[in-house]
Amino acid sequence: RDSVASRGLGDVYKRQQYSITFNETNLTGMLKQQDFEFLGSALIDNKSIAIKHSHLSLGANKIDLDVVINDNLLSGDFMANISDLSLIDKDFKGIIDSEFKLKGTLDNPEFTGFANGSDLKFKGISLKNIDITGQGQLHSDFTLSVTGNSLKLNQQNFESIALNLTGQLSKHNFQLKVDGEDYVSEIKAIGQWDIDKRSWAGIVEDHYFKRSDIISHWALENTINITVGQDVKLSNSCWSNNDSKGSLCMNFQSQNNYKNYQGHLDLDELELASFKAFMPADLLIDGVLKGQANIDITEDNVNIDSDIKLIDGKLRYAENTDEEYISKITSAHVVAQYKNEKSLLTTEIQLDDGTSV
């Protein structure tokens, strides 16, 4: 048996047999202008992997790992305390603590653990707290819970977010609830993961969106079928306003491994006030939208065809608290087309102060 041996690095065997061993290896130095240390032992061969008492530290960040995989059996412990996320990315701030344990088999691993984050920030996103807990077996029964509060995303504030997932990979239920400053949105769905096809399929059974500052309660009219794999497909989905006769319908799909995209949108007396939470804080547009839009995107071309009207509109813009501009939109009609690298945009916007665009 041909072999190459080096003390501290182990034996590397040719042909079908191989073995790599690290015995109480200790590496120290500087990385990213921070103290770096690695301490651990490992044995890796063609039948098993054993990483024991491994400790990695970079500045104030620490990770501990113990993993043993022998044939199909699995056991492991993972702990991390990351208090300087800027070492991952200069725009990343906050603290993350986590601990996970694994056991069972590779075919159906059993896990339990948690992850907590606090004062997380990344560019225009901030999150005060997030807690993730989970336990169970992936192909039997497991639960996963994610809760977060004080999320700020692109100048929009969300008081809390909660996600609960139960079941198995092959069939699971999940519920997502989002509480904003003046609205609540909740989704209930069933999902399935196909290991062979590496795809996920789900059905959204219920979705509602309710605002507290105005009378507006949107609900899903029909179940939504979603498939995500080599391509993504969203079946025709419609929401209606229980307090008015407004509705929104849409469908979307990709083709040829995400090379082509097609989508369609129908708006029927859609009240813009319902979407105040997603508009910039200093801009408010009221009114009712009516029209449709088609999108067809290929590798070589982008085709957009839309015709949308705004009825009974009102525009308010406040750059600061001292100056505010308010005007009624007496009429607004936008026709947009983009095809074969040629664009056409026609707008007719009339304000009651006599100005027009």
Side-chain angles (χ1 to χ4, degrees):
R1 179 169 68 173
D2 297 329
S3 66
V4 177
S6 176
R7 187 177 180 183
L9 295 179
D11 297 332
V12 180
Y13 296 107
K14 296 182 179 180
R15 302 191 183 117
Q16 296 181 350
Q17 300 291 327
Y18 65 89
S19 177
I20 303 174
T21 303
F22 298 88
N23 289 318
E24 297 182 358
T25 301
N26 188 10
L27 300 174
T28 59
M30 296 290 292
L31 181 64
K32 292 188 174 182
Q33 299 180 338
Q34 300 287 326
D35 291 330
F36 169 84
E37 181 181 21
F38 172 78
L39 176 64
S41 300
L43 171 62
I44 303 173
D45 58 32
N46 60 309
K47 292 184 178 180
S48 63
I49 298 175
I51 302 174
K52 295 185 176 180
H53 312 300
S54 296
H55 172 80
L56 174 67
S57 65
L58 178 61
N61 301 328
K62 296 177 175 59
I63 296 176
D64 294 288
L65 179 65
D66 277 272
V67 175
V68 176
I69 302 175
N70 191 351
D71 289 331
N72 195 41
L73 298 178
L74 168 69
S75 66
D77 292 280
F78 171 84
M79 289 190 298
N81 175 251
I82 311 297
S83 56
D84 188 359
L85 291 171
S86 65
L87 295 177
I88 300 174
D89 188 289
K90 64 181 180 64
D91 295 318
F92 209 171
K93 302 291 189 298
I95 299 174
I96 295 178
D97 285 306
S98 64
E99 180 177 350
F100 286 91
K101 296 181 180 293
L102 295 171
K103 64 179 181 178
T105 66
L106 291 174
D107 296 332
N108 190 19
E110 183 177 348
F111 70 95
T112 180
F114 71 89
N116 306 124
S118 59
D119 297 319
L120 300 175
K121 294 180 180 180
F122 183 73
K123 296 185 178 180
I125 304 172
S126 65
L127 180 62
K128 183 64 177 178
N129 296 104
I130 183 170
D131 295 304
I132 303 173
T133 58
Q135 64 178 7
Q137 292 178 283
L138 290 181
H139 301 293
S140 298
D141 286 300
F142 70 86
T143 61
L144 180 67
S145 174
V146 181
T147 59
N149 60 69
S150 299
L151 171 65
K152 187 174 182 179
L153 179 63
N154 295 329
Q155 297 185 340
Q156 299 301 327
N157 297 317
F158 303 89
E159 294 181 354
S160 65
I161 296 177
L163 171 66
N164 291 294
L165 185 67
T166 60
Q168 307 119 36
L169 280 182
S170 59
K171 187 176 182 180
H172 45 267
N173 300 304
F174 73 85
Q175 180 175 341
L176 173 65
K177 185 178 182 180
V178 178
D179 286 297
E181 291 182 316
D182 47 24
Y183 72 91
V184 176
S185 180
E186 186 170 352
I187 297 175
K188 296 180 181 179
I190 298 174
Q192 296 179 328
W193 172 255
D194 191 317
I195 296 178
D196 297 329
K197 295 181 179 179
R198 295 184 179 181
S199 65
W200 182 86
I203 299 175
V204 178
E205 297 181 314
D206 187 27
H207 176 218
Y208 75 84
F209 179 90
K210 185 176 182 179
R211 292 187 59 85
S212 58
D213 58 340
I214 60 175
I215 301 176
S216 183
H217 182 182
W218 288 83
L220 186 66
E221 291 184 355
N222 59 302
T223 58
I224 305 175
N225 293 292
I226 305 173
T227 304
V228 181
Q230 291 184 339
D231 280 296
V232 62
K233 183 176 182 180
L234 173 72
S235 67
N236 194 58
S237 315
C238 293
W239 289 261
S240 61
N241 193 320
N242 293 348
D243 304 298
S244 68
K245 52 185 179 180
S247 66
L248 178 152
C249 295
M250 62 179 293
N251 60 68
F252 176 83
Q253 67 176 351
S254 68
Q255 297 175 330
N256 300 325
N257 290 320
Y258 296 93
K259 293 180 180 178
N260 302 335
Y261 299 88
Q262 294 177 336
H264 179 77
L265 178 68
D266 272 314
L267 309 175
D268 185 13
E269 299 193 18
L270 181 70
E271 292 184 340
L272 279 173
S274 301
F275 302 94
K276 173 186 174 184
F278 307 105
M279 296 181 185
D282 52 4
L283 176 65
L284 174 64
I285 301 178
D286 281 328
V288 175
L289 288 179
K290 187 177 181 66
Q292 56 82 32
N294 291 293
I295 301 174
D296 190 355
I297 302 174
T298 66
E299 288 185 287
D300 303 321
N301 201 12
V302 176
N303 294 331
I304 301 175
D305 190 354
S306 63
D307 188 341
I308 298 175
K309 294 181 180 180
L310 176 65
I311 304 170
D312 296 330
K314 182 179 180 181
L315 171 67
R316 180 182 69 83
Y317 178 72
E319 188 172 1
N320 53 58
T321 55
D322 297 328
E323 297 182 11
E324 185 175 70
Y325 176 77
I326 301 176
S327 177
K328 269 192 173 184
I329 303 174
T330 57
S331 66
H333 184 197
V334 178
V335 177
Q337 291 181 327
Y338 184 89
K339 188 174 184 180
N340 298 325
E341 299 184 353
K342 294 182 179 180
S343 60
L344 171 64
L345 177 63
T346 303
T347 63
E348 298 177 6
I349 302 175
Q350 183 72 43
L351 305 180
D352 68 350
D353 63 1
T355 60
S356 62
V357 179

